[in-house]
């Protein structure tokens, strides 16, 4: 809505946004990291957390692409690195996250997904937040057995045109391999096979275990039973994010900051 001409926004949309901001004004601030392997359910839970706690959802890949497209100073530097075939530095990624946190949508805090992936990145994130006078509240660890993930992921089928997804066991189409709505053929993504998944999971465990250990030493990790039904995991998350007894909980900001 920030980039839109308010004269062209309907009264209903404006009222809905005002009601949302009034509802969010009394919410305590929360800064949350999600850690979990592919297929663990982060994508299901993120919108729920975002809506319930009035947080912005920060996916580093999306933010990086947006910064490059918008040609922000950091985005230009990131594009220069990528054009040379170089990796975008941790400092650049943290800087882009810092830029994003100035948005009004992030006034009540954030959900950070896909970062940090290393202890070095976690330390740089802590340093950036400290400069802002902030710190993390919780790290949600979506723990699930690799064997369950294999069943979840290798059973996925997609309708390419619409993005509708099915699962051979949990949400099968009426006819095997056929989209319920259009009658068109379903496909499986190239990455949705046991061989690719095994490689991805090995890399995930090797990379993120030290990060989880880093945050555990700070007392920030809440381990979720991600193999359970989504509504059960949602309840676990709500319990983990009950920060009413937290010593560093922020006072609610006024509506002026929204």
């Amino acid at each position: 809505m920030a980039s839109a001409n308010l004269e062209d926004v309907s009264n209903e949309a404006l009222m809905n946004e005002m009601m949302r901001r009034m509802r969010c004004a009394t919410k305590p601030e929360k800064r949350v990291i999600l850690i979990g392997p592919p297929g663990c359910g982060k994508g299901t839970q993120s919108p729920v957390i975002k809506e319930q706690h009035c947080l912005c959802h920060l996916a580093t890949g999306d933010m990086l692409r947006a910064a490059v497209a918008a040609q922000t100073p950091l985005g230009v530097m990131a594009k220069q690195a990528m054009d040379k075939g170089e990796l975008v530095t941790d400092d650049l990624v943290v800087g882009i996250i810092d830029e994003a946190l100035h948005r009004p949508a992030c006034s009540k805090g954030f959900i950070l997904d896909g970062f940090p992936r290393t202890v070095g990145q976690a330390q740089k994130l802590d340093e950036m937040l400290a400069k802002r006078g902030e710190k993390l509240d919780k790290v949600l660890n979506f723990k699930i057995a690799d064997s369950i993930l294999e069943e979840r992921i290798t059973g996925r089928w997609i309708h390419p045109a619409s993005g509708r997804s099915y699962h051979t066991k949990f949400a099968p189409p009426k006819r095997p391999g056929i989209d319920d709505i259009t009658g068109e053929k379903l496909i499986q993504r190239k990455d949705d096979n046991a061989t690719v998944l095994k490689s991805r999971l090995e890399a995930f465990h090797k990379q993120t275990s030290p990060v989880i250990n880093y945050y555990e030493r700070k007392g920030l990790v809440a381990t979720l039973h991600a193999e359970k039904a989504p509504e059960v995991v949602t309840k676990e998350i709500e319990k983990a994010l009950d920060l009413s007894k937290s010593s560093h909980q922020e006072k609610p900001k006024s509506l002026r900051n929204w």
Side-chain angles (χ1 to χ4, degrees), residues 48-250:
V48 179
I49 303 170
K50 176 183 176 181
E51 174 65 21
Q52 182 67 26
H53 298 281
C54 301
L55 309 178
C56 64
H57 180 255
L58 304 178
T60 50
D62 293 341
M63 286 190 297
L64 190 58
R65 286 186 288 272
V68 170
Q71 296 184 339
T72 68
L74 291 175
V76 171
M77 293 172 65
K79 187 177 188 302
Q80 289 173 346
M82 291 186 287
D83 287 346
K84 294 177 183 177
E86 301 172 352
L87 292 175
V88 178
T89 66
D90 293 344
D91 287 329
L92 265 178
V93 177
V94 170
I96 288 172
I97 294 171
D98 190 20
E99 279 186 342
L101 294 181
H102 287 86
R103 291 160 34 202
C106 297
S107 294
K108 288 296 177 179
F110 59 82
I111 306 164
L112 188 53
D113 188 359
F115 190 92
R117 296 178 183 271
T118 67
V119 171
Q121 291 175 349
Q123 292 170 334
K124 288 181 181 296
L125 178 64
D126 284 346
E127 291 168 4
M128 181 271 284
L129 291 174
K131 289 178 181 178
R132 296 172 56 89
E134 301 170 353
K135 54 185 174 180
L136 290 172
D137 291 295
K138 194 65 65 175
V139 176
L140 299 178
N141 177 25
F142 287 70
K143 189 173 183 179
I144 185 170
D146 290 358
S147 57
I148 297 176
L149 288 175
E150 181 175 345
E151 181 180 46
R152 282 186 181 182
I153 291 178
T154 59
R156 292 195 300 202
W157 288 81
I158 307 295
H159 178 242
S162 67
R164 276 187 294 276
S165 62
Y166 299 86
H167 193 281
T168 52
K169 179 178 179 180
F170 304 114
K174 295 175 182 177
R175 288 187 294 161
I178 302 296
D179 179 50
D180 289 349
I181 307 300
T182 65
E184 296 170 346
K185 288 185 177 181
L186 303 175
I187 66 166
Q188 276 195 305
R189 294 193 180 104
K190 292 181 180 179
D191 288 350
D192 287 355
N193 65 74
T195 302
V196 173
L197 177 62
K198 182 179 179 182
S199 176
R200 292 174 69 191
L201 290 175
E202 286 176 352
F204 170 81
H205 293 311
K206 182 178 180 180
Q207 191 176 53
T208 59
S209 290
V211 177
I212 293 172
N213 292 338
Y214 172 80
Y215 286 125
E216 280 181 336
R217 290 194 294 271
K218 292 174 172 286
L220 294 176
V221 176
T223 299
L224 310 173
H225 298 86
E227 80 283 356
K228 294 186 177 180
E231 58 272 18
V232 176
V233 178
T234 298
K235 289 180 180 179
E236 289 189 2
I237 291 172
E238 284 307 298
K239 184 177 180 181
L241 294 183
D242 181 5
L243 305 175
S244 58
K245 297 181 181 180
S246 174
S247 61
H248 62 271
Q249 179 176 315
E250 304 283 351

Side-chain angles (χ1 to χ4, degrees), residues 1-9 21 104:
M1 185 177 293
S3 61
N5 185 340
L6 290 180
E7 293 178 354
D8 296 328
V9 179
R21 295 193 181 202

Side-chain angles (χ1 to χ4, degrees), residues 17 20-21 24-25 29 101-109 251-258:
E17 175 62 11
R20 185 192 70 81
R21 295 193 181 202
C24 291
E29 296 181 17
L101 294 181
H102 287 86
R103 291 160 34 202
C106 297
S107 294
K108 288 296 177 179
K251 293 181 180 180
K253 291 183 179 178
S254 70
L255 285 172
R256 289 183 306 170
N257 297 319
W258 286 71

